[in-house]
Amino acid sequence: MKSYIVIGLGRFGQAIARQLCKLGAEVLVMDCNATLIQQISGDVTHAVVGDAQDKEVLRALGVRNFDCAIVAIGDDFAASVLIAMNLKELNVPYVVCKAYNETHRRVLEKLGVDKVVIPEQEHAQRLGRSLFSHNVLEYIELSEEYGILEIPAPKSWIGKSLKDLNVRAKLGVNIIAVENGGKTNVSPAADYEIKTGDVMAVLGSAYALEAVQKL
């Protein structure tokens, strides 16, 4: 089982932490805000109130033993940079940081951060590709990270039941409705068998929905 520490519980940090847990990972979240920690504690493996700008706090948590650290603090330049430095100095194997613009990205990359993401920019790019794709009938954005994709059932799904496909575990998405011939089946049962002509309403993260399009 892979292990992650997510630092910063804004919308991006919370979404990443919850998604990783749903995929079966061990996730520790950390934030200075006790209210945010309390809100998410039931959805992750561990939740800790603390300041990641203090290297000794990170050392005490044993961050070097995690497979990956995700710094989800994008709007506080100084804090983001200091935390990234701490994580690199403590030899965390893989560090991912959120940035809010290209200057922030370049600074983090200079520090040796393994991957820097600008979620708003990358989400817009993914959405653009989704809307341009010929097999996407509609895309409904629910938030910066999540949406609903309406697509014809992939050929590889035809004749299989939702239980057999197990898309929630394998792809991190949920099939929330199926339409065929003007009839809509909302929350189809696990034994529902996908038919030719089915149109699927699929709920998931932008990353997961992009994977579904490639099937």
Side-chain angles (χ1 to χ4, degrees):
M1 179 187 297
K2 285 195 172 184
S3 58
Y4 300 81
I5 176 169
V6 178
I7 299 169
L9 291 177
R11 286 203 303 172
F12 177 72
Q14 289 186 41
I16 288 290
R18 288 191 170 101
Q19 182 65 16
L20 288 170
C21 268
K22 287 178 182 178
L23 293 172
E26 178 184 350
V27 181
L28 182 150
V29 297
M30 183 180 187
D31 197 284
C32 293
N33 189 320
T35 300
L36 292 176
I37 289 294
Q38 186 176 10
Q39 289 173 351
I40 200 173
S41 60
D43 299 330
V44 297
T45 314
H46 305 286
V48 177
V49 177
D51 186 358
Q53 295 179 77
D54 187 334
K55 187 192 294 187
E56 294 309 311
V57 171
L58 293 175
R59 193 193 306 276
L61 286 173
V63 293
R64 70 174 63 192
N65 298 318
F66 286 84
D67 295 308
C68 175
I70 301 165
V71 183
I73 301 170
D75 54 355
D76 187 333
F77 185 94
S80 171
V81 169
L82 180 55
I83 293 168
M85 288 176 60
N86 288 341
L87 293 169
K88 295 303 294 184
E89 290 174 3
L90 290 170
N91 298 316
V92 175
Y94 196 80
V95 178
V96 178
C97 288
K98 175 186 176 184
Y100 63 85
N101 60 25
E102 289 298 329
T103 300
H104 192 183
R105 179 201 293 271
R106 288 197 296 270
V107 171
L108 291 169
E109 289 175 343
K110 289 288 186 182
L111 293 173
V113 168
D114 299 283
K115 183 175 179 62
V116 181
V117 297
I118 304 179
E120 293 80 6
Q121 181 187 91
E122 296 184 9
H123 176 73
Q125 292 170 349
R126 286 194 300 272
L127 176 56
R129 289 197 297 270
S130 296
L131 296 176
F132 187 74
S133 177
H134 70 281
N135 66 331
V136 175
L137 303 179
E138 185 176 6
Y139 181 87
I140 302 170
E141 182 179 1
L142 301 177
S143 71
E144 291 180 358
E145 292 86 23
Y146 287 87
I148 297 172
L149 198 65
E150 190 178 80
I151 57 171
K155 290 182 180 179
S156 60
W157 290 8
I158 305 297
K160 296 180 181 178
S161 71
L162 296 183
K163 182 179 179 180
D164 292 335
L165 292 171
N166 197 15
V167 294
R168 183 173 183 178
K170 294 178 180 178
L171 297 171
V173 299
N174 288 289
I175 297 173
I176 59 175
V178 179
E179 188 273 335
N180 194 321
K183 295 182 179 180
T184 302
N185 183 348
V186 179
S187 297
D191 61 356
Y192 178 83
E193 187 175 290
I194 307 298
K195 305 174 183 63
T196 300
D198 278 353
V199 173
M200 327 291 297
V202 186
L203 169 67
S205 69
Y207 294 101
L209 295 176
E210 188 173 7
V212 170
Q213 291 179 66
K214 297 176 181 178
L215 295 173

